[in-house]
Amino acid sequence: MSRLLVVQNHRGGGPGRFGDWLRADGVSTDVVHAYAGAPLPRRPGHDGVLVLGGGYLPDDDVRAPWLAPTRALVARAVERGVPVFGICLGGQLLARVAGGTVRGEHGEPEMGSTPLTLRPEAGDDPLFRGLPERVTAVEHHVDAVTALPPGATWLMASERCPYQAFRVGERAWGVQFHPEAGADRVRSWDAGRLRARGLDPVELSRRAEIDEPAAEAVWREVARRFAAVVAGS
């Protein structure tokens, strides 16, 4: 069985259904609770690396000192061609490591089920080729990638945040959205904080529940394809 290193950046931010799908497709997941002080390996010794989300910028080393070794680990993985998948903060961290830029509190925040558009460049991508031209995913971010790394392939966009998915090299992907999260995650969000942002928590949950069947099928397929990349590494 192939082995995937999973870097978890906050207590409630585990690999969720994405991890379940990967395991169903023959990839075991070794979750490192980096936020709790668990040490990260100095070199990628697994068949792939998955970096999850969290409420930090990729270089927020004062509040999250484990991000420096995470950046080093991802940089080595990319250099050695080890498959990488970065989600939200993880995607921003990949962009930062590869030479892109990330800004905090940039543009309009995206919360809840969000429409995404597949770009033509995804036509030959191992993970995103052949996906629906329009699909949704759960979003929860106020920071964003503002410039892709040199040579990166731009795969998906949304109305408020253009760089929703990209590939660095041949086997490293970053996404701004949360393929591991479904409608149940949206229902768990703090209603008071959502209202403070002018959002209706009931409507956010309703929209996510409506969108979930089609979205889940798409992200399940992406997980299957990433598992195949990891298994072939």
Side-chain angles (χ1 to χ4, degrees):
M1 178 175 277
S2 302
R3 295 171 60 235
L4 182 73
L5 179 70
V6 182
V7 181
Q8 185 169 333
N9 292 299
H10 72 99
R11 185 177 302 278
R17 63 185 185 182
F18 205 77
D20 295 339
W21 295 334
L22 291 169
R23 287 188 292 272
D25 288 325
V27 176
S28 67
T29 54
D30 297 333
V31 181
V32 176
H33 297 272
Y35 68 91
L40 286 160
R42 295 175 61 86
R43 294 178 177 81
H46 289 68
D47 300 301
V49 178
L50 171 65
V51 183
L52 301 172
Y56 309 99
L57 287 167
D59 54 0
D60 195 353
D61 296 345
V62 173
R63 292 196 302 148
W66 65 88
L67 289 176
T70 302
R71 291 195 304 273
L73 178 69
V74 169
R76 291 189 186 101
V78 171
E79 180 181 340
R80 294 173 57 182
V82 175
V84 174
F85 197 96
I87 292 174
C88 197
L89 167 60
Q92 295 169 4
L93 187 144
L94 173 63
R96 175 75 173 77
V97 161
T101 59
V102 179
R103 288 181 56 188
E105 300 283 343
H106 178 76
E108 297 182 68
E110 291 179 310
M111 306 284 174
S113 183
T114 302
L116 306 175
T117 301
L118 192 70
R119 290 179 54 82
E121 295 93 324
D124 59 357
D125 183 79
L127 302 192
F128 288 81
R129 65 175 182 268
L131 297 185
E133 185 178 347
R134 300 283 191 275
V135 67
T136 62
V138 170
E139 304 257 4
H140 193 285
H141 73 100
V142 295
D143 309 328
V145 175
T146 56
L148 290 178
T153 303
W154 186 9
L155 302 171
M156 299 193 88
S158 73
E159 182 178 351
R160 292 184 177 183
C161 180
Y163 303 123
Q164 287 286 345
F166 61 93
R167 189 184 74 247
V168 172
E170 296 301 319
R171 302 209 296 177
W173 290 267
V175 300
Q176 183 58 69
F177 51 89
H178 287 272
E180 85 285 10
D184 57 337
R185 179 75 63 86
V186 177
R187 288 193 297 271
S188 73
W189 292 344
D190 186 291
R193 291 185 178 181
L194 293 173
R195 292 191 186 97
R197 288 187 174 273
L199 300 170
D200 180 350
V202 175
E203 176 57 24
L204 286 182
S205 293
R206 187 189 72 84
R207 184 73 260 169
E209 288 169 1
I210 291 172
D211 292 343
E212 171 129 350
E216 182 176 7
V218 170
W219 307 127
R220 174 68 183 90
E221 175 62 16
V222 169
R224 185 192 66 76
R225 294 175 180 183
F226 184 62
V229 172
V230 172
S233 64

